[in-house]
Amino acid sequence: MSSPLFSWGLYPAAPQTAHGCTWKSEVPQQLDCLNSEFGSTLAYGNGRSYGDSCLADSDHVLHMRTLNRFIEVDWQRGVVTAEAGITLAEILAVAIPRGWFLPVTPGTQFATLGGAIANDVHGKNHHVRGTFGNHVRRLGLQRHDQDLLTCSPVEAPEMFAATIAGLGLTGVIIWAEIQLIPIKSCQIDSSAVRFDNLADFFALSTELDHQHEYSVAWIDCLAKGAQAGRGVFFVGDHAEYGAKTVEERSKLFVPITPPISLINKLSLHTFNEAYWRVHPATQTRKRVNYEPFFYPLDRIDHWNRIYGRRGFQQYQCVIPQPVAEVAIRELLSAIAQSGQGSFLAVLKRCGEITSPGLLSFPIPGTSLALDFPQNKHLAALFARLDAIVHEAGGRLYPAKDAHMSGKDFRQAYPAWERLEALRDPSLMSRFWKRVTK
Ligand SMILES: Cc1cc2nc3c(=O)[nH]c(=O)nc-3n(C[C@H](O)[C@H](O)[C@H](O)COP(=O)(O)OP(=O)(O)OC[C@H]3O[C@@H](n4cnc5c(N)ncnc54)[C@H](O)[C@@H]3O)c2cc1C
C-alpha cells in the first residue's frame, strides 16, 4: 500500500488513500469502482494545493501522476498535447531545448497539467498573459458513466468554461492541448530593487509592469509604521540569446517534520531584515537561469515540513484595484500587529485579461499571499483579514484555502451554482463540501 497523500500545507491533516491508473483507458472503470465503494472521489495531481481543495470528501483520491505521457507535439507551432498527470517540469524539460516555454507558470514546476487547469493557475505575467486557462486549446474530460468528452471554446464550451478553475469537480481531465510561447534562451534578464513602503510598491508596479513580461514583489510582513509594506520588487524577461538547456539542479531537502514550526517571530524578523537589506536600493540587473527566477522553493524538497507537524495555511486574496492600496495597508497592519506570518509573502498586480474559467480567481487588482504556521491564534487573525477582504470586495483563492466560510465563498464566486449544476456527482472535495453544503 502506498503512503497516504496530503495537501501541501499538511493542513487539514486528512490522509488520502491513493488509487492510480496506468493507462487512460482505465479511468472510467476506476471512477466507477471508487464511486460504488466510497460514494465519491476526486482527481489528485501532485498535491501542490495548500488547503483542502485537492482532498476528496471520501479521502480516496484518483492519483493522476502515472498518466504523464506526451500524446502529440508540434514543435513548429509550440502546441503540446499530453496526459493530465504530467508535471510542468516534465513539459519544460523537453520544450526549452526546442525553444518553447510555458505561457503561464505558477511558483512551482511540480504542479501537473490537470492541476494547473483545475485551479486555473496564474503567474508573474498575469498582467500580460492572463491565466493558464487562457492558453488551453482543448481538453479531454472523463465523467462518470459517460464517453470521453472533448471540450474547447467551441466544443462543449460550457463544460470547458466550468472545467477551467473547476476544482476537479466537472470530471477527470485525461489530456489537454496547450499553446506554448517561443523563447530564445532558458535565461531570464531580471532586475531587483528594494522599496521602502506600500505606496512605493504601487508606484513601481505602475511604472514597471507594462515594461516587462514578469513582475512580482516580496514584502516584509512584520514591518510596521513608516516601513509598513517595504519589500523587494522583481521584474524579468526571457533573454534574447543564450543556451536553451535544462540541467538537473542539486537539491536540498528537509528530511523530517519537526514537532514545532521552525518559523517564529524571532527567526522571521532576522530573515526579513537581512533579506530586505541584501537587495539593492537602485534597480540592479542580472541574468539568471529560469529555475531560480520562477521556482526558488522547488530547490528544497519537502520545504513544507519546516512548519512542523501542525502544518501551515496560505492566505491569498485579490483586492480590486481602486481600493487595493487601502485594503492591503489594513491587511498588512493586522498581520504585523499579530506578529504572525512567514518569510513567504508576495504582492502581485493582476491584469485585465479575462479567463475562460467560470470560477477563476484573479480579478483586476492586487493579490497578496502569505504563509502562516498553523496555531490556535490563526482563526482570529484570519477572521480579521476576511472582514477586510470582504469589505473591499475582494476574494480568496480556493487553491490555497482551508478556512474560508461558505458565505464568503458563495458571495465572492457567484458562478458557483453553475459549477455545481455541471459537477459530476461522483466527484466531491472536502473544500466544495465545506463551502457549498
Ligand atoms: C511553492 C508553490 C508555489 C505556488 N505558486 C502558485 C502561483 O504562483 N500561482 C498559482 O496560481 N498557484 C500557485 N501554487 C498553487 C499550485 O500551483 C496549484 O494549487 C496547482 O493547482 C497544483 O497542482 P497539482 O497538480 O499539484 O494539483 P493538486 O493540488 O493535486 O490538485 C489541485 C486541484 O486540481 C484538481 N485536479 C488535479 N488533477 C486533475 C485532473 N487530471 N482532472 C481534474 N482535476 C484535477 C484536483 O481535484 C484539485 O481540485 C503554488 C504552490 C506551491 C506549492
Side-chain angles (χ1 to χ4, degrees), residues 42-43 45-49 53-54 107 112 115 118-119 121-122 167-168 173 397:
L42 188 74
N46 208 17
R48 258 49 183 190
S49 300
S53 65
C54 63
T112 63
N119 275 326
V121 298
H122 57 278
L167 300 166
I173 303 165
Y397 189 10

Side-chain angles (χ1 to χ4, degrees), residues 367-390:
S367 154
L368 171 68
L370 289 111
D371 287 353
F372 293 91
Q374 181 60 31
N375 65 53
K376 61 179 191 289
H377 307 295
L378 209 50
L381 173 63
F382 280 9
R384 171 89 193 97
L385 304 183
D386 289 351
I388 298 167
V389 173
H390 179 76

Side-chain angles (χ1 to χ4, degrees), residues 100-313:
W100 297 96
F101 201 78
L102 293 164
V104 167
T105 177
T108 175
Q109 55 182 328
F110 301 131
T112 63
L113 181 56
I117 296 171
N119 275 326
D120 196 19
V121 298
H122 57 278
K124 296 178 174 65
N125 58 354
H126 185 270
H127 58 292
V128 283
R129 307 242 184 220
T131 61
F132 198 87
N134 287 106
H135 308 274
V136 176
R137 294 161 53 100
R138 295 189 310 149
L139 56 87
L141 190 70
Q142 184 66 60
R143 287 166 65 86
H144 184 219
D145 266 350
Q146 291 183 22
D147 291 339
L148 186 70
L149 181 68
T150 298
C151 308
S152 75
V154 290
E155 296 158 278
E158 206 189 0
M159 196 59 88
F160 182 73
T163 300
I164 290 176
L167 300 166
L169 298 165
T170 57
V172 176
I173 303 165
I174 304 294
W175 58 266
E177 180 182 302
I178 58 168
Q179 175 68 59
L180 304 179
I181 55 167
I183 51 164
K184 295 185 178 133
S185 158
C186 67
Q187 297 194 300
I188 302 290
D189 282 332
S190 76
S191 69
V193 59
R194 70 179 191 226
F195 52 89
D196 295 326
N197 53 50
L198 194 61
D200 287 358
F201 161 80
F202 281 96
L204 279 169
S205 172
T206 304
E207 180 194 336
L208 297 177
D209 279 2
H210 69 275
Q211 298 176 28
H212 299 280
E213 169 90 26
Y214 303 106
S215 88
V216 72
W218 167 86
I219 45 152
D220 176 355
C221 68
L222 293 186
K224 288 184 185 161
Q227 291 182 320
R230 72 175 179 176
V232 184
F233 203 94
F234 300 94
V235 292
D237 296 282
H238 292 281
E240 282 297 310
Y241 58 89
K244 288 184 288 215
T245 48
V246 176
E247 282 152 24
E248 188 77 5
R249 280 203 302 172
S250 61
K251 278 211 162 189
L252 309 167
F253 77 108
V254 181
I256 53 156
T257 309
I260 56 163
S261 169
L262 302 181
I263 307 294
N264 55 45
K265 215 168 171 176
L266 181 66
S267 61
L268 191 55
H269 258 301
T270 314
F271 175 88
N272 282 5
E273 184 65 31
Y275 190 77
W276 187 76
R277 290 211 176 274
V278 88
H279 284 93
T282 51
Q283 205 175 345
T284 307
R285 291 168 62 104
K286 63 177 177 181
R287 184 163 286 188
V288 294
N289 192 275
Y290 74 98
E291 283 191 299
F293 182 79
F294 291 108
Y295 314 116
L297 288 168
D298 282 354
R299 177 98 195 265
I300 309 169
D301 254 353
H302 299 296
W303 65 260
N304 53 345
R305 290 179 176 163
I306 61 172
Y307 292 94
R309 290 194 192 130
R310 282 193 288 196
F312 68 109
Q313 292 193 53

